[in-house]
Amino acid sequence: QQLESLHRIVTEVKQESLLARPWRVMEMDCLKDNMDVLHFEYTTDIEIERDGRVHGFAGWFELDLSPGVMLDTSPYAKTTHWRQVYFPMPSFSVQRGDRLVTTLQTVSGSVGPDVIISAVLLRDGVDLYSFFYCYPGVGS
């Protein structure tokens, strides 16, 4: 399934709505790295932890500002004005133990990086569902 021109939304994501453990997509050192680090491709195998419906993906950041000073915008931390970014998509059902082999990629967009999310849902090794979505890198 493919949809074009989906838009990300900045919103508050409740930790109880998450169906799997978070995973780290990328790290950058603001003192050493240049903007090229924002263009990447990362694939992970996500294990679904409880039955439910996937409606999209959530993202956030953590900044290590200095020793002992962390800015955490995750659903597990106190809400900040940054909140979380939500990448919506048509929903689909999952069961505990399903695996979602997911690739997250960023490429140059017109304003900011376009975010591309693709995945295959596996249950007992059988491919049940797959998708490919592109979220343009424009202001939300």
Side-chain angles (χ1 to χ4, degrees), residues 18-123:
L18 301 177
L19 296 174
R21 291 181 186 191
W23 69 98
R24 178 170 291 156
V25 172
M26 56 102 50
E27 274 188 48
M28 73 179 288
D29 184 329
C30 293
L31 296 174
K32 297 177 184 173
D33 294 331
N34 62 35
M35 296 302 283
D36 292 341
V37 74
L38 297 177
H39 301 283
F40 60 87
E41 183 172 325
Y42 177 81
T43 300
T44 189
D45 187 341
I46 303 163
E47 182 176 355
I48 303 298
E49 294 186 336
R50 62 183 175 86
D51 294 358
R53 292 192 65 78
V54 172
H55 297 274
F57 287 84
W60 54 84
F61 62 89
E62 297 173 358
L63 292 175
D64 187 0
L65 299 169
S66 66
V69 180
M70 176 73 73
L71 172 59
D72 184 349
T73 67
S74 78
Y76 301 98
K78 183 178 177 183
T79 302
T80 69
H81 75 278
W82 284 287
R83 297 172 289 176
Q84 295 82 43
V85 64
Y86 170 61
F87 298 93
M89 63 182 66
S91 66
F92 58 95
S93 295
V94 292
Q95 294 178 2
R96 182 175 190 238
D98 286 354
R99 305 203 75 79
L100 197 58
V101 179
T102 305
T103 299
L104 178 71
Q105 180 182 12
T106 61
V107 296
S108 293
S110 60
V111 176
D114 290 348
V115 176
I116 300 166
I117 301 174
S118 59
V120 175
L121 176 66
L122 301 171
R123 182 173 300 146

